[in-house]
Amino acid sequence: MLELEKKHPGELEYLQAVREVLESIEEVYNENPQFESAGIIERIVEPDRVLMFKVPWTDDGGKVHVNLGYRVQFNNAIGPYKGGLRFHPSVNLSILKFLGFEQIFKNSLTTLPMGGAKGGSDFDPKGKSNTEIMRFCQSFMLELWKLIGPETDVPAGDIGVGGREIGYMYGMYKKLASENTGVLTGKGLNWGGSLIRPEATGFGAVYFAQEMLNTKGMDFNGKTVCLSGFGNVAWGAALKATELGAKVVTISGPDGYIHDPDGITGEKITYLLELRASNQDIVKPYSYEFPNARFFQGKRPWEVKCDIAIPCATQNELDKADAEKLVANGCICVAEGANMPSTPEAIQVFHEKKVMFAPGKAVNAGGVATSGLEMSQNSMKMGWPREEVDSRLHQIMKDIHSQCVKHGSEPDGYINYVKGANVAGFLKVANAMLDQGVV
Ligand code: NDP
């Protein structure tokens, strides 16, 4: 860690993610001296390569803008590089390296053959017209296409990148590469996409949390759930948790959260999705539309009493004070829908208080797992029905949970899901790297 901190000063998110993994795998690493002699740690913590490029584009008024684009190809020991693209003004190399590093272990946990990568841009899609977004996506792909391909690197969506952006990027890739292949996932249903992919991350998160609750003989029925965000991940989680009998009472945006004590169900979710599809702010309008709902400006949803918390917005959105509030209010289970939403200090609180806590790389792996299923369907040139994709997703989430229990169970019966996920994910990749020599 000290060497890494010296080499990459200021890359805080990346160093945070690496530290968490290294701390959890210390025991298995020491039990396997062959890892040290093959320099597995030194090799796994550095990306294979980073592509950084400028993305010039013209707005509707004719003004030229320049954003930065990146692709971080981290590790392909167990399969082609795979990981989402994030378009958000906060994007920088540290954030993409943390996400790419996490993706190695997450993809390994899915049991599918996928390596780890991440990419994106500091472009902000908010407030942009469709044609501006199209021009940006096309310019972004003009550089990225050289590095990706269905057998080398298969990007997907993330914050700020949904079906629309994937469509524009796919169109440009197809034109440049003169091929119609499964090079991106999250595609539209009528041009190679998979059923269930849009809701897969949220569904998978709830399936995982259900397994966590099952270890204590509990389930979602009658439970109160706090969610943050209301993007690709949160809406699927809201839908599935509601279907399983829970009441989802919060969603949030960067400016605050909504508390709806009546529950965010059925037609309310549809209303939110319509606002989201028309590129509008969703959190405040919701509180005007449904009179019992209240908007809390500048606050986070973790102060609301709940049984289960599923943070689905962004990294480090749940800190020590938030964790203490959740615990004091009787929260029994925290399942991370987003990547690294809890700070290390918050995780420590959950562990000390023996609250069930599972990290994003296990809980939200359903998204990339279903992307893997989309790749399989593309290779076979066929599509599976909804039920088949959903049941495969459900089984994968159960398998990931079992791996976490196997490697994370402590003598007192508490399951340390952070350790379990990191050890299980690491062992598979490290053994593949050993088999393949120093490359
Ligand atoms: P989206 O952009 O679709 O949604 C993010 C949501 O969080 C939006 O509602 C956004 O509000 C809100 N938000 C952003 N910043 C904050 C903040 N600081 N505080 C509160 N709310 C905030 O992204 P995704 O749903 O795709 O991704 C969310 C998380 O899940 C990320 O960590 C991502 O890496 C992870 N993830 C996503 C997967 C996927 O399949 N999409 C797969 C696995 C992980 P607003 O729109 O108003 O900015």
Side-chain angles (χ1 to χ4, degrees), residues 340-373:
M340 209 168 77
S342 312
T343 63
E345 297 76 23
I347 297 173
Q348 203 180 337
V349 170
F350 296 135
H351 282 167
E352 277 168 13
K353 300 292 178 188
K354 303 285 176 195
V355 168
M356 285 186 272
F357 169 81
K361 63 169 75 72
V363 179
N364 67 35
V368 71
T370 309
S371 282
L373 300 178

Side-chain angles (χ1 to χ4, degrees), residues 86 126 158-160 197 201 230-233 253 276 312-313 338-339:
R86 176 176 290 192
K126 254 196 200 155
D158 191 77
I159 292 179
R197 178 59 189 95
T201 311
F230 197 79
N232 298 321
V233 180
R276 196 170 161 257
C312 298
N339 283 314

Side-chain angles (χ1 to χ4, degrees), residues 86-88 98-99 103 106 118 126 156-162 197-198 200-202 228-235 252-256 276 280-283 299-301 311-315 317 337-341 360 364-368 371:
R86 176 176 290 192
F87 292 169
H88 192 270
F98 120 63
L99 290 163
Q103 199 81 41
K106 182 190 306 192
K118 202 79 189 186
K126 254 196 200 155
D158 191 77
I159 292 179
V161 179
R197 178 59 189 95
T201 311
S228 59
F230 197 79
N232 298 321
V233 180
W235 75 265
S252 71
D255 50 349
R276 196 170 161 257
Q280 292 183 53
D281 185 19
I282 56 171
V283 171
K299 295 273 183 78
R300 293 164 167 175
C312 298
T314 193
Q315 63 273 359
E317 55 155 319
N339 283 314
M340 209 168 77
N364 67 35
V368 71
S371 282

Side-chain angles (χ1 to χ4, degrees), residues 29 66 78 80 87 108-109 118 141 146 154-156 197 203 229 283 292 308 345 349 369 376 393 395 412-413 426-427:
Y29 194 73
V66 177
I78 62 168
F87 292 169
S108 164
L109 284 170
K118 202 79 189 186
M141 192 47 88
K146 299 168 198 163
V154 185
R197 178 59 189 95
F203 276 23
V283 171
N292 283 341
I308 300 160
E345 297 76 23
V349 170
S376 306
L393 166 66
Q395 190 54 51
D412 64 358
F426 169 76
L427 281 175

